[in-house]
């Protein structure tokens, strides 16, 4: 089992990087909403982000429109994730602690790509081990597919031995400004200081 997860983790991380590169490439060639071409090094990822409607771990509805006015961080995962998600959630918990009260303006969203298992109740129980400023989100398959598409986030169900499954998914944490525009991203393999610096920049910007 251990070697299986190791292999799977390598696969996951590889896919995450691949998905981000693909997302950047797609964003580069897609025209912007106004018809102007989105391209170049600065705006090549401008197509990340967009409308969503999901359900929080408290059972209330949340849309992207309600997030306007405050910066937020969003990433995709699932509570049965063996490694990447708990590591990311632990990382973010530590980063929020280091940022202190300044981080109260930052909303962190953990969107489940496994709605069949991740009910609001399970998300709430799972997230109680992490910073309370992290909000778990779930929804119907369609709602989650729409949110993942908006963020160019990849996810896929992979059967495992014993009749269960894992979800492969993009590990990137997307940092969005107070207008809901893509600001930057935290890479899974980045060091703590680099991540902290990006979050500080995001908070300073909005
Ligand atoms: Ni995960």
């Amino acid at each position: 089992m251990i070697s299986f997860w190791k292999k799977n983790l390598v696969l996951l991380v590889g896919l995450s990087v691949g998905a981000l590169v693909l997302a950047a490439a797609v964003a580069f060639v897609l025209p912007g909403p106004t018809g102007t071409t989105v391209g170049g090094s600065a705006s090549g990822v401008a197509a990340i982000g967009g409308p969503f409607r999901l359900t929080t771990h408290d059972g209330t509805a949340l849309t992207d429109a309600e997030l306007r006015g405050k910066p937020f961080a969003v990433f995709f995962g699932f509570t049965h994730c063996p490694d990447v998600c708990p590591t990311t959630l632990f990382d973010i918990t530590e980063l929020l602690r280091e940022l202190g009260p300044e981080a109260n303006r930052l909303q962190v969203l953990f969107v489940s790509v496994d709605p069949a298992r991740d009910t609001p109740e399970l998300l709430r129980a799972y997230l109680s081990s992490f910073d309370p400023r992290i909000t778990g989100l779930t929804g119907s398959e369609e709602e989650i597919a729409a949110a993942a598409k908006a963020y160019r986030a990849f996810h896929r169900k992979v059967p495992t031995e014993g009749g269960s499954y894992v979800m492969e998914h993009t590990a990137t944490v997307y940092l969005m400004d107070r207008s809901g525009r893509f600001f930057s991203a935290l890479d899974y393999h980045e060091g703590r200081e680099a991540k902290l610096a990006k979050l500080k920049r995001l908070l300073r910007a909005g």
Side-chain angles (χ1 to χ4, degrees):
M1 272 310 266
I2 286 171
S3 66
F4 170 78
W5 286 123
K6 271 187 183 167
K7 266 188 284 182
N8 233 27
L9 180 62
V10 169
L11 177 68
L12 260 175
V13 170
L15 281 166
S16 305
V17 172
L20 189 63
V21 169
L22 181 65
V26 167
F28 191 84
V29 296
L30 282 180
T34 58
T36 55
T37 301
V38 176
S41 57
S43 56
V45 287
I48 289 176
F52 62 80
R53 185 187 190 283
L54 296 164
T55 303
T56 72
H57 65 233
D58 289 322
T60 56
L62 182 75
T63 68
D64 59 295
E66 291 167 65
L67 298 170
R68 293 297 149 84
K70 277 182 173 183
F72 66 97
V74 57
F75 64 109
F76 295 81
F78 65 117
T79 65
H80 288 69
C81 182
D83 198 312
V84 172
C85 291
T87 301
T88 302
L89 286 161
F90 177 76
D91 248 16
I92 289 177
T93 295
E94 289 294 295
L95 289 163
L96 291 173
R97 187 182 55 76
E98 283 182 59
L99 286 165
E102 199 190 355
N104 290 342
R105 294 194 296 115
L106 181 69
Q107 311 189 63
V108 182
L109 309 175
F110 173 63
V111 182
S112 173
V113 291
D114 186 14
R117 291 187 293 202
D118 287 342
T119 60
E121 294 73 25
L122 181 57
L123 277 172
R124 188 169 60 235
Y126 180 71
L127 291 172
S128 67
S129 303
F130 303 101
D131 192 287
R133 288 168 288 195
I134 302 171
T135 299
L137 293 168
T138 188
S140 67
E141 295 273 358
E142 293 75 20
E143 287 169 335
I144 285 162
K149 190 181 174 196
Y151 283 87
R152 309 283 190 249
F154 163 88
H155 64 102
R156 182 168 74 105
K157 185 185 271 191
V158 180
T160 57
E161 301 151 54
S164 190
Y165 64 91
V166 292
M167 300 299 294
E168 289 175 348
H169 63 89
T170 301
T172 305
V173 179
Y174 306 97
L175 305 183
M176 311 300 289
D177 71 13
R178 62 179 167 180
S179 304
R181 284 184 304 237
F182 178 78
F183 183 83
S184 186
L186 306 183
D187 183 79
Y188 184 69
H189 292 104
E190 238 170 352
R192 176 76 51 86
E193 287 309 311
K195 290 177 180 171
L196 191 63
K198 283 181 179 175
L199 288 172
K200 282 180 176 172
R201 278 204 301 276
L202 175 67
L203 285 164
R204 269 202 303 273

